[in-house]
Amino acid sequence: MESELALVVDTLFPVAAVDAALTEMRSAYPSVSVRLAVEPMGGPIAALTERRSALAVTVGEDFRDPRLALDAICAVQIVAVASADHPLARRGRKGVADLADHLQIVLSDPTPLSEGRSFGVLSPQICRVSNQDTKHAMILAGLGWGRLPLWQVSRDLKERRLVRVETGALGRNAALAMEAYLAHRLDEPLGPAARALADALTQIATRSSELKRKTTTRKPR
């Protein structure tokens, strides 16, 4: 049994699911210490290849490595949003040229895995930030627009602090479903605590996805 379990989670993945899975794992293995990091873009994959973690959760199809096993666990909805006071919040469909007229807030990759590539960047005016909380705060403040996971901004959207940018350039209804994967090294078998955490995370993510699907497909009475 592991004395410590290191886990690196993509910043796009819902923190609540990770908290619930760690609680389940700790109930079965209370003596196992946990080291958790939340990193954007290539961070979770790099953590595995550099042997800084036993497990990782990565979101999207942009980062792969043949040394890693990946298992899809759920989809994460990513939406393009702006502050309710931002010019892009005005009603009307926006094209790429409209988006390019405004500052786009994007995450910077702490690894070299995305060197020479950009993902979903549509504006020449860019502000790169190192973490998602800063990105969220800057978009809320009206500095620029950007894409954030729906779980992080659902309350802001409901209370009209943020609005979806009306564009088809970033998915239908400015939303895109990105697959989340649980990953580990092929050459390093998981210990019992890591397997328990992986099972808990998969079950929690699956239940959450099924609940959302039932809620959205329920017919009104």
Side-chain angles (χ1 to χ4, degrees):
M1 186 175 63
E2 309 95 322
S3 59
E4 181 183 73
L5 177 57
L7 170 68
V8 178
V9 178
D10 195 302
T11 189
L12 297 175
F13 194 76
V15 176
V18 179
D19 294 342
L22 285 171
T23 299
E24 286 194 22
M25 185 279 288
R26 287 275 304 155
S27 68
Y29 298 96
S31 65
V32 176
S33 300
V34 176
R35 182 157 43 91
L36 172 65
V38 179
E39 299 182 14
M41 302 183 74
I45 296 297
L48 290 175
T49 59
E50 296 166 7
R51 289 186 164 86
R52 291 188 285 110
S53 69
L55 275 176
V57 178
T58 183
V59 178
E61 312 298 330
D62 298 315
F63 303 100
R64 295 295 182 103
D65 190 290
R67 293 168 290 181
L68 307 180
L70 274 71
D71 187 24
I73 54 176
C74 69
V76 178
Q77 287 284 333
I78 309 298
V79 294
V81 294
S83 166
D85 298 324
H86 192 276
L88 288 176
R90 296 171 189 155
R91 295 194 64 82
R93 197 164 180 82
K94 314 298 189 301
V96 173
D98 299 304
L99 302 177
D101 284 340
H102 300 279
L103 184 70
Q104 183 176 358
I105 315 297
V106 300
L107 285 173
S108 59
D109 192 348
T111 77
L113 295 180
S114 62
E115 188 173 351
R117 296 188 291 166
S118 61
F119 309 106
V121 177
L122 299 182
S123 175
Q125 306 175 58
I126 299 171
C127 176
R128 297 188 183 276
V129 297
S130 61
N131 66 78
Q132 192 139 280
D133 288 339
T134 300
K135 180 178 179 179
H136 182 206
M138 293 176 78
I139 294 173
L140 273 172
L143 182 63
W145 68 277
R147 297 196 297 171
L148 290 166
L150 184 57
W151 61 263
Q152 187 176 29
V153 299
S154 58
R155 185 170 180 177
D156 295 317
L157 291 170
K158 183 178 179 180
E159 297 177 359
R160 298 292 295 175
R161 287 186 294 272
L162 293 176
V163 298
R164 293 193 188 213
V165 177
E166 294 183 25
T167 179
L170 293 167
R172 286 177 291 175
N173 196 25
L176 182 67
M178 300 177 70
E179 199 69 29
Y181 296 90
L182 193 62
H184 66 89
R185 291 185 63 96
L186 288 167
D187 61 351
E188 293 183 1
L190 296 177
R195 289 197 302 270
L197 178 59
D199 290 343
L201 195 54
T202 300
Q203 292 169 12
I204 289 165
T206 301
R207 288 199 300 266
S208 177
S209 298
E210 289 176 349
L211 178 59
K212 289 178 182 177
R213 186 164 56 249
K214 290 177 182 178
T215 302
T216 55
T217 58
R218 185 179 298 150
K219 294 181 181 180
R221 296 181 179 178

